[in-house]
Coordinates of all heavy atoms in Angstrom, one line a residue:
F17 N -30.2 -24.4 -1.9 CA -30.5 -24.0 -3.3 C -30.7 -22.5 -3.3 O -31.6 -22.0 -2.6 CB -31.7 -24.8 -3.9 CG -32.0 -24.3 -5.3 CD1 -31.3 -24.6 -6.4 CD2 -33.1 -23.5 -5.4 CE1 -31.6 -24.1 -7.6 CE2 -33.5 -23.0 -6.7 CZ -32.7 -23.3 -7.8
Y18 N -30.0 -21.8 -4.1 CA -30.2 -20.4 -4.3 C -30.5 -20.1 -5.7 O -29.7 -20.5 -6.6 CB -28.9 -19.7 -3.8 CG -28.6 -19.8 -2.4 CD1 -27.6 -20.6 -1.9 CD2 -29.4 -19.1 -1.4 CE1 -27.3 -20.7 -0.6 CE2 -29.1 -19.2 -0.1 CZ -28.1 -20.0 0.3 OH -27.9 -20.1 1.7
P19 N -31.5 -19.3 -6.0 CA -31.8 -18.9 -7.4 C -30.7 -18.2 -8.0 O -30.4 -18.3 -9.2 CB -33.0 -18.0 -7.2 CG -33.6 -18.2 -5.9 CD -32.5 -18.8 -5.0
E20 N -30.0 -17.3 -7.3 CA -28.8 -16.5 -7.8 C -27.5 -17.3 -7.5 O -26.6 -16.7 -6.9 CB -28.8 -15.2 -7.2 CG -30.1 -14.4 -7.4 CD -30.2 -13.9 -8.9 OE1 -29.1 -13.7 -9.5 OE2 -31.3 -13.9 -9.4
F21 N -27.4 -18.5 -8.0 CA -26.2 -19.3 -7.7 C -24.9 -18.7 -8.0 O -24.0 -18.7 -7.2 CB -26.4 -20.7 -8.5 CG -25.2 -21.6 -8.3 CD1 -25.0 -22.3 -7.1 CD2 -24.3 -21.7 -9.3 CE1 -23.9 -23.1 -6.9 CE2 -23.2 -22.6 -9.1 CZ -23.0 -23.3 -7.9
W22 N -24.8 -18.1 -9.2 CA -23.5 -17.5 -9.6 C -23.1 -16.3 -8.8 O -21.9 -16.0 -8.6 CB -23.5 -17.3 -11.1 CG -23.5 -18.5 -11.9 CD1 -24.6 -19.0 -12.6 CD2 -22.6 -19.6 -11.9 NE1 -24.3 -20.2 -13.1 CE2 -23.1 -20.6 -12.7 CE3 -21.3 -19.7 -11.4 CZ2 -22.4 -21.8 -12.9 CZ3 -20.6 -20.9 -11.6 CH2 -21.1 -21.9 -12.4
G23 N -24.1 -15.6 -8.3 CA -23.8 -14.5 -7.4 C -23.1 -15.0 -6.1 O -22.2 -14.4 -5.6
W24 N -23.6 -16.2 -5.6 CA -23.1 -16.8 -4.4 C -21.7 -17.3 -4.7 O -20.8 -17.3 -3.8 CB -24.0 -17.9 -3.9 CG -25.2 -17.3 -3.2 CD1 -26.4 -17.1 -3.8 CD2 -25.3 -16.9 -1.9 NE1 -27.3 -16.6 -2.9 CE2 -26.6 -16.4 -1.7 CE3 -24.5 -16.9 -0.8 CZ2 -27.1 -16.0 -0.5 CZ3 -24.9 -16.4 0.4 CH2 -26.2 -15.9 0.6
V25 N -21.5 -17.8 -5.9 CA -20.1 -18.3 -6.3 C -19.1 -17.1 -6.2 O -18.0 -17.3 -5.7 CB -20.2 -19.0 -7.7 CG1 -18.8 -19.2 -8.2 CG2 -21.0 -20.2 -7.6
K26 N -19.5 -16.0 -6.8 CA -18.6 -14.8 -6.8 C -18.3 -14.4 -5.3 O -17.2 -14.1 -5.0 CB -19.3 -13.7 -7.6 CG -19.2 -13.9 -9.1 CD -20.0 -12.8 -9.8 CE -19.4 -11.4 -9.6 NZ -20.1 -10.4 -10.4
M27 N -19.3 -14.4 -4.5 CA -19.1 -14.0 -3.1 C -18.2 -15.0 -2.4 O -17.3 -14.6 -1.6 CB -20.4 -13.9 -2.3 CG -21.2 -12.6 -2.7 SD -22.6 -12.4 -1.6 CE -23.8 -13.5 -2.3
G28 N -18.4 -16.3 -2.7 CA -17.5 -17.3 -2.1 C -16.1 -17.2 -2.5 O -15.1 -17.3 -1.7
R29 N -15.9 -16.9 -3.8 CA -14.5 -16.7 -4.3 C -13.9 -15.5 -3.7 O -12.7 -15.5 -3.3 CB -14.5 -16.5 -5.8 CG -14.7 -17.8 -6.6 CD -14.5 -17.6 -8.0 NE -14.8 -18.8 -8.7 CZ -15.4 -19.0 -9.8 NH1 -15.9 -17.9 -10.5 NH2 -15.6 -20.2 -10.4
R30 N -14.6 -14.4 -3.5 CA -14.1 -13.2 -2.9 C -13.7 -13.5 -1.4 O -12.7 -13.0 -0.9 CB -15.1 -12.1 -3.0 CG -14.7 -10.8 -2.3 CD -13.6 -10.1 -3.1 NE -13.2 -8.9 -2.4 CZ -12.0 -8.7 -2.0 NH1 -11.0 -9.5 -2.3 NH2 -11.7 -7.6 -1.4
L31 N -14.5 -14.2 -0.7 CA -14.3 -14.6 0.7 C -13.0 -15.4 0.8 O -12.1 -15.2 1.6 CB -15.4 -15.4 1.2 CG -15.4 -15.7 2.7 CD1 -15.3 -14.4 3.6 CD2 -16.6 -16.5 3.1
I32 N -12.8 -16.4 -0.2 CA -11.6 -17.2 -0.2 C -10.4 -16.3 -0.4 O -9.3 -16.5 0.2 CB -11.7 -18.3 -1.2 CG1 -12.8 -19.2 -0.8 CG2 -10.4 -19.0 -1.4 CD1 -12.6 -20.6 -0.7
E33 N -10.5 -15.4 -1.4 CA -9.4 -14.4 -1.7 C -9.0 -13.6 -0.4 O -7.8 -13.4 -0.2 CB -9.7 -13.5 -2.8 CG -9.8 -14.2 -4.2 CD -10.4 -13.2 -5.2 OE1 -10.6 -12.1 -4.9 OE2 -10.6 -13.7 -6.3
M34 N -10.0 -13.2 0.3 CA -9.7 -12.4 1.5 C -9.0 -13.2 2.6 O -8.1 -12.7 3.3 CB -11.0 -11.8 2.1 CG -11.6 -10.7 1.2 SD -13.2 -10.1 1.6 CE -13.4 -10.4 3.3
H35 N -9.4 -14.5 2.7 CA -8.7 -15.3 3.7 C -7.4 -15.9 3.3 O -6.6 -16.1 4.2 CB -9.7 -16.5 4.0 CG -10.8 -16.2 4.9 ND1 -10.7 -16.0 6.3 CD2 -12.1 -15.9 4.6 CE1 -11.8 -15.7 6.8 NE2 -12.7 -15.6 5.8
T36 N -7.1 -16.0 2.0 CA -5.8 -16.5 1.6 C -4.9 -15.5 1.1 O -3.7 -15.7 1.1 CB -6.0 -17.6 0.5 OG1 -6.7 -17.0 -0.6 CG2 -6.8 -18.8 1.0
G37 N -5.3 -14.3 0.7 CA -4.5 -13.3 0.1 C -4.1 -12.2 1.1 O -3.6 -11.2 0.7
F38 N -4.3 -12.4 2.4 CA -4.0 -11.3 3.3 C -2.5 -11.1 3.5 O -2.1 -10.0 4.0 CB -4.7 -11.5 4.7 CG -4.1 -12.7 5.4 CD1 -3.1 -12.5 6.4 CD2 -4.5 -14.0 5.2 CE1 -2.5 -13.5 7.1 CE2 -4.0 -15.0 5.9 CZ -3.0 -14.8 6.8
E39 N -1.7 -12.0 3.1 CA -0.2 -11.9 3.3 C 0.5 -11.0 2.2 O 1.6 -10.7 2.3 CB 0.4 -13.2 3.4 CG -0.1 -14.0 4.6 CD 0.4 -15.5 4.6 OE1 0.8 -16.0 3.5 OE2 0.4 -16.1 5.6
S40 N -0.2 -10.7 1.2 CA 0.4 -10.0 0.1 C -0.4 -8.7 -0.3 O -0.7 -8.5 -1.4 CB 0.5 -10.9 -1.1 OG -0.8 -11.3 -1.5
P41 N -0.6 -7.8 0.7 CA -1.3 -6.6 0.4 C -0.3 -5.5 -0.2 O 0.9 -5.7 -0.1 CB -1.9 -6.1 1.7 CG -0.8 -6.6 2.7 CD -0.4 -7.9 2.1
E42 N -0.9 -4.5 -0.8 CA -0.1 -3.4 -1.3 C 0.3 -2.6 -0.1 O -0.5 -2.3 0.8 CB -0.9 -2.6 -2.3 CG -1.2 -3.2 -3.6 CD 0.1 -3.3 -4.4 OE1 0.9 -2.4 -4.4 OE2 0.2 -4.4 -5.1
P43 N 1.6 -2.3 0.1 CA 2.0 -1.5 1.2 C 1.4 0.0 1.1 O 1.3 0.5 0.1 CB 3.5 -1.4 1.1 CG 3.9 -2.1 -0.1 CD 2.7 -2.7 -0.8
Y44 N 1.0 0.5 2.3 CA 0.5 1.8 2.3 C 1.6 2.8 2.2 O 2.7 2.6 2.8 CB -0.2 2.0 3.7 CG -1.1 3.3 3.7 CD1 -2.3 3.3 3.1 CD2 -0.5 4.5 4.2 CE1 -3.1 4.5 3.1 CE2 -1.3 5.6 4.2 CZ -2.6 5.6 3.6 OH -3.3 6.8 3.6
P45 N 1.4 3.8 1.4 CA 2.5 4.8 1.1 C 2.8 5.7 2.3 O 2.4 6.9 2.3 CB 2.1 5.5 -0.1 CG 0.6 5.5 -0.1 CD 0.2 4.2 0.6
L46 N 3.5 5.3 3.3 CA 3.8 6.1 4.4 C 5.0 7.0 4.0 O 5.9 6.6 3.2 CB 4.2 5.3 5.7 CG 3.0 4.5 6.3 CD1 3.6 3.6 7.4 CD2 2.0 5.4 6.8
Q47 N 5.2 8.1 4.7 CA 6.3 9.0 4.4 C 7.4 8.7 5.5 O 7.1 8.7 6.7 CB 5.9 10.4 4.5 CG 4.8 10.8 3.6 CD 4.1 12.1 4.0 OE1 4.3 12.6 5.1 NE2 3.2 12.5 3.2
T48 N 8.6 8.4 5.1 CA 9.7 8.1 6.1 C 10.4 9.4 6.2 O 11.0 9.9 5.2 CB 10.6 7.0 5.6 OG1 9.8 5.8 5.3 CG2 11.6 6.7 6.6
V49 N 10.5 9.9 7.4 CA 11.2 11.2 7.7 C 12.5 10.8 8.5 O 12.4 10.3 9.6 CB 10.3 12.1 8.5 CG1 11.1 13.4 8.8 CG2 9.0 12.4 7.8
E50 N 13.6 11.0 7.9 CA 14.9 10.7 8.5 C 15.7 11.9 8.8 O 15.8 12.8 7.9 CB 15.7 9.8 7.5 CG 15.0 8.5 7.1 CD 15.7 7.3 7.7 OE1 16.7 7.4 8.3 OE2 15.1 6.2 7.4
Q51 N 16.1 12.0 10.0 CA 17.0 13.2 10.4 C 18.4 12.7 10.3 O 18.7 11.5 10.2 CB 16.7 13.6 11.8 CG 15.2 14.1 11.9 CD 14.9 14.4 13.4 OE1 15.7 14.3 14.3 NE2 13.7 14.8 13.6
T52 N 19.3 13.6 10.2 CA 20.7 13.3 10.1 C 21.2 12.7 11.5 O 20.7 13.0 12.5 CB 21.6 14.5 9.8 OG1 21.4 15.5 10.7 CG2 21.2 15.0 8.4

């Protein structure tokens, strides 16, 4: 039993998002340098 129940709910949701959403991150904007 936690007095701040909804705070724990938010943390649990965030933890689930981190574990299930790792396959769809935003790509980091790397610079591609191509020579001829």
Side-chain angles (χ1 to χ4, degrees):
F17 173 75
Y18 293 106
E20 299 291 327
F21 176 75
W22 294 110
W24 287 92
V25 168
K26 285 172 64 177
M27 285 189 281
R29 283 189 183 140
R30 179 71 183 121
L31 185 62
I32 296 235
E33 288 171 5
M34 288 172 27
H35 282 283
T36 58
F38 69 92
E39 295 171 339
S40 58
E42 289 291 322
Y44 192 83
L46 293 176
Q47 303 158 354
T48 304
V49 180
E50 303 247 358
Q51 299 174 0
T52 58

